[in-house]
Amino acid sequence: MVSTDGSGDGEVEPDDNLRSFGETVKASRKRAGLTQEQLASLIGYSVQYVGSVEQGRRHPSQKFVHKTEAVLDTFGVIDIAAKQLTRRRGLATWFRRWAELEEVAVTLNTYECRSVPGLLQPESYARALIDNVPPLATPEEAEALFGFVIEQALIERRTGGPQVTRELIDRLLECGDLPNVDVQIMPLVQPVHAGTDGPFQLLETDEHEWLGYSEGQKTGRVITDPKAISVLHQRYAKLRIQALNPADSTGLLMRMRGSL
């Protein structure tokens, strides 16, 4: 079955790392005597997807890497090239990879304890953050299932002042009304808390692969290890139980706005 990615959506500007991986795939394909069309048919992807990877315009999914390695039988060369591609990525590239994944995600779950997630930020709040510490670029919103657990303290901080906070709360309420978005507030007092290790995100790709993302100051990484992903799923499940449910979160947000 060919993946539904023939439109080229999710492509990024080529960089040296992606080009290098793409050249490895192309050379391996030619060594096997296959055209792009033949390889695409064998691995269950569109010709456009294969072409985009070979041109360095698309980050390959794990499924693509594994299937291509198996079909081309490169004795691990493609797997190694994919791992090297991951190792060479720094902060900015890591986030570009995550932003690319967000664009095609079918599920995105976020726990945040430092600032309200970019997808929920009104412009005034984003500008207020920029005035303090420049954040990573915010990706465009995608149509998917979104879940957010946000610390009440982030709103109580009143970043940017009362007016910005009102706009922030209005934005949270607006997003919370959407049928595909759950916004939950973690109350200030919560003796049992599964998020003490810091913020993280969980994402399901359009190929139903789960990935994680975590970041600190001047660093960030995409998490692919299944055991680590399982731990994050367990923590997020606990966080959802410990936070206020969406309806109670809406009530709290409205009370907070009324007190400004």
Side-chain angles (χ1 to χ4, degrees), residues 159-178:
T159 299
Q163 181 56 37
V164 170
T165 304
R166 290 190 195 94
E167 294 177 11
L168 171 62
I169 293 175
D170 287 344
R171 172 66 173 166
L172 293 175
L173 291 170
E174 176 187 359
C175 290
D177 278 341
L178 297 173

Side-chain angles (χ1 to χ4, degrees), residues 81-102:
K83 291 176 182 177
Q84 290 299 114
L85 172 65
T86 298
R87 290 195 188 104
R88 287 197 295 265
R89 290 178 167 260
L91 171 62
T93 311
W94 272 124
F95 189 77
R96 285 199 299 272
R97 167 61 174 144
W98 189 253
E100 177 191 347
L101 287 167
E102 283 187 329

Side-chain angles (χ1 to χ4, degrees), residues 1-212:
M1 179 177 179
V2 176
S3 300
T4 57
D5 45 45
S7 64
D9 290 346
E11 290 190 353
V12 296
E13 289 300 314
D15 63 32
D16 290 340
N17 296 337
L18 288 174
R19 283 195 187 99
S20 178
F21 178 83
E23 289 170 358
T24 299
V25 172
K26 183 177 181 180
S28 299
R29 172 179 60 77
K30 288 188 172 182
R31 180 187 66 82
L34 298 175
T35 64
Q36 285 186 349
E37 289 80 3
Q38 290 171 325
L39 176 60
S41 177
L42 288 170
I43 63 176
Y45 280 78
S46 67
V47 177
Q48 291 89 342
Y49 191 107
V50 173
S52 293
V53 170
E54 289 191 356
Q55 295 165 22
R57 299 190 63 86
R58 177 186 281 271
H59 194 289
S61 67
Q62 288 182 307
K63 181 181 177 182
F64 176 91
V65 171
H66 296 330
K67 284 197 167 186
T68 304
E69 170 62 40
V71 168
L72 298 181
D73 192 18
T74 65
F75 302 98
V77 170
I78 289 178
D79 281 335
I80 292 171
K83 291 176 182 177
Q84 290 299 114
L85 172 65
T86 298
R87 290 195 188 104
R88 287 197 295 265
R89 290 178 167 260
L91 171 62
T93 311
W94 272 124
F95 189 77
R96 285 199 299 272
R97 167 61 174 144
W98 189 253
E100 177 191 347
L101 287 167
E102 283 187 329
E103 291 178 357
V104 295
V106 296
T107 306
L108 177 65
N109 294 323
T110 299
Y111 165 65
E112 185 55 77
C113 59
R114 298 172 307 174
S115 61
V116 172
L119 293 175
L120 297 178
Q121 294 175 7
E123 181 179 355
S124 58
Y125 181 81
R127 290 184 180 277
L129 289 178
I130 291 172
D131 289 340
N132 295 302
V133 180
L136 295 168
T138 301
E140 294 182 359
E141 292 190 16
E143 291 185 2
L145 179 60
F146 294 96
F148 299 94
V149 177
I150 305 168
E151 294 288 336
Q152 181 180 347
L154 299 181
I155 305 165
E156 298 282 9
R157 188 177 298 150
R158 300 190 181 185
T159 299
Q163 181 56 37
V164 170
T165 304
R166 290 190 195 94
E167 294 177 11
L168 171 62
I169 293 175
D170 287 344
R171 172 66 173 166
L172 293 175
L173 291 170
E174 176 187 359
C175 290
D177 278 341
L178 297 173
N180 63 326
V181 179
D182 283 336
V183 176
Q184 294 182 252
I185 304 299
M186 182 68 74
L188 288 174
V189 179
Q190 177 49 272
V192 180
H193 198 310
T196 53
D197 277 358
F200 63 89
Q201 298 186 61
L202 283 165
L203 179 150
E204 182 185 9
T205 71
D206 54 350
E207 295 179 14
H208 305 295
E209 294 176 343
W210 280 95
L211 300 170

